[in-house]
Amino acid sequence: LYRRYGLWFRLRKLIIWLLGVYIAIPFLVKLCPAIQAKLVFLNFVRVPYFIDLKRPQDQGLNHTCNYYLQPEEDVTIGVWHTVPAALWKNARGKDQLWFEDALGSSHPVILYLHGNAGTRGGDHRVELYKVLSSLGYHVVTFDYRGWGDSVGSPSERGMTYDALHVFDWIKARSGDNPVYIWGHSLGTGVATNVVRRLCERETPPDALILESPFTNIREEARSHPFSIYRYFPGFDWFFLDPITTSGIKFANDENVKYISCSLLILHAEDDPVVPFHLGKKLYNIAATSRSFRDYKVQFVPFHTDLGYRHKYIYRSPELPRILREFLGKSEHEHHH
């Protein structure tokens, strides 16, 4: 009996302690909005951990060059440039200058903006670069300031500025080749920020591809399945307001009203991170927006049975056809 009582006492102590932590966290987040910003960016999560980002060939990317660019003073970002598979043999042992010149060869370029957590060397990201390279695209990707081996501290403004810098860097080298912007997850927020700016200055990309996008960061945080506080009294005040206070909006739903270029949205129905309904909602906003009236807006769902979830759409055997049909049309628009 004494032993059972001791066990119950310890268990009760543990439950009270866990409850205390559970209740304390919202107050901590409210008092220190930087915590919430860290949870949005997750830039401190560096999986896979032991890879050397200076050596993309270790990830099976033998036709990839690692660069460093400087968007602003005190900010350096690590960039990977993977050439189309057709240039694979020529690329062996070549230096940065050769790779930069190769952007002018007659192949389209995709600027890939990754989501939160991890680096440009993340497994599913590397697999997508391989797929896109095999389809004949240059793939240029990078780690935002504060991610991977890039120097600087993360912010929505900084991420957007880094992406704009890389886009302009590509445009200065790619001649008349089409340049597309592809954003995944949190990267869709960066992508629409950038494309809205580009459209405002009348230098839009040739198309925008959003994979697993949300409407805005507040709605995404509210719908996020990992949010154990969703039904906590004052959830918005405790958790969503600090995100806004930190200057984090990623307002895809607002941005698409100012974007004028072809738009393709890809979303898996079984996405556990960004709910499918948010991608669909974003498509409905874009499809009825006047800014897209002269451009193609397409939504491609992937059925739950396929199991592509949040980051495995690259596995779809349909993807090459989807891109060929969609981008073929925007290349056609580009040349006329």
Side-chain angles (χ1 to χ4, degrees):
L1 193 70
Y2 177 75
R3 248 180 56 209
R4 198 184 295 169
Y5 177 76
L7 190 69
W8 165 239
F9 179 74
R10 284 210 298 275
L11 189 65
R12 208 176 62 178
K13 227 164 109 172
L14 180 68
I15 289 168
I16 290 168
W17 184 81
L18 286 172
L19 197 64
V21 169
Y22 179 78
I23 292 168
I25 285 173
F27 289 94
L28 200 62
V29 167
K30 186 67 187 174
L31 289 169
C32 186
I35 294 173
Q36 191 65 326
K38 276 203 172 340
L39 292 176
V40 171
F41 296 138
L42 290 178
N43 58 305
F44 53 89
V45 179
R46 304 208 175 177
V47 276
Y49 199 78
F50 294 109
I51 71 170
D52 181 354
L53 291 169
K54 291 185 178 66
R55 294 177 51 83
Q57 59 271 30
D58 293 353
Q59 308 312 303
L61 294 171
N62 297 325
H63 48 319
T64 298
C65 190
N66 179 61
Y67 309 147
Y68 291 96
L69 300 178
Q70 201 171 2
E72 290 182 291
E73 216 184 335
D74 304 328
V75 175
T76 310
I77 55 174
V79 181
W80 280 1
H81 171 197
T82 303
V83 294
L87 302 178
W88 185 81
K89 279 199 166 68
N90 302 345
R92 276 192 297 201
K94 295 295 197 299
D95 63 357
Q96 180 171 337
L97 276 173
W98 182 89
F99 274 83
E100 288 190 35
D101 287 345
L103 284 169
S105 64
S106 57
H107 292 271
V109 186
I110 290 177
L111 169 58
Y112 178 77
L113 306 173
H114 69 64
N116 68 359
T119 66
R120 61 191 183 280
D123 296 344
H124 64 283
R125 293 163 189 164
V126 168
E127 292 308 316
L128 179 66
Y129 313 152
K130 289 176 182 171
V131 170
L132 296 176
S133 168
S134 73
L135 297 177
Y137 299 101
H138 287 275
V139 183
V140 177
T141 186
F142 67 96
D143 280 315
Y144 316 104
R145 61 188 70 188
W147 270 259
D149 57 356
S150 297
V151 178
S153 50
S155 67
E156 180 175 351
R157 188 207 69 83
M159 294 163 81
T160 304
Y161 194 87
D162 294 345
L164 265 171
H165 181 81
V166 179
F167 179 85
D168 288 339
W169 179 88
I170 292 168
K171 285 300 277 183
R173 289 156 181 78
S174 59
D176 281 339
N177 298 325
V179 180
Y180 310 119
I181 291 180
W182 182 314
H184 172 244
S185 192
L186 190 67
T188 63
V190 183
T192 65
N193 278 351
V194 168
V195 176
R196 177 177 176 174
R197 303 254 178 103
L198 293 173
C199 290
E200 282 167 358
R201 68 175 207 202
E202 297 181 358
T203 56
D206 293 279
L208 170 61
I209 300 159
L210 300 177
E211 179 191 356
S212 318
F214 48 86
T215 42
N216 59 65
I217 202 70
R218 281 181 82 103
E219 277 198 13
E220 158 57 12
R222 192 179 289 120
S223 317
H224 200 292
F226 304 143
S227 175
I228 53 170
Y229 287 98
R230 218 177 319 176
Y231 307 109
F232 194 86
F235 174 74
D236 283 31
W237 188 78
F238 277 115
F239 289 95
L240 303 184
D241 293 352
I243 299 180
T244 312
T245 306
S246 302
I248 304 172
K249 295 192 177 73
F250 291 115
N252 288 335
D253 49 358
E254 268 306 297
N255 288 339
V256 293
K257 296 173 187 169
Y258 299 92
I259 287 175
S260 39
C261 68
S262 300
L263 170 67
L264 172 64
I265 295 178
L266 310 168
H267 214 135
E269 290 176 359
D270 59 338
D271 189 328
V273 179
V274 180
F276 178 77
H277 72 87
L278 290 186
K280 189 78 177 136
K281 184 175 176 182
L282 183 66
Y283 165 73
N284 291 332
I285 294 168
T288 54
S289 166
R290 282 178 38 220
S291 67
F292 283 107
R293 61 174 174 251
D294 299 328
Y295 297 94
K296 187 176 175 180
V297 180
Q298 190 181 346
F299 183 83
V300 180
F302 294 87
H303 198 273
T304 302
D305 295 350
L306 296 165
Y308 295 152
R309 298 170 69 80
H310 184 57
K311 53 187 185 187
Y312 301 113
I313 286 174
Y314 72 81
R315 291 178 180 165
S316 168
E318 294 296 303
L319 190 60
R321 179 191 60 77
I322 292 163
L323 294 177
R324 198 165 45 244
E325 288 176 7
F326 180 79
L327 295 177
K329 285 195 174 62
S330 31
E331 272 167 46
H332 182 73
E333 283 167 13
H334 174 82
H335 291 301
H336 290 279

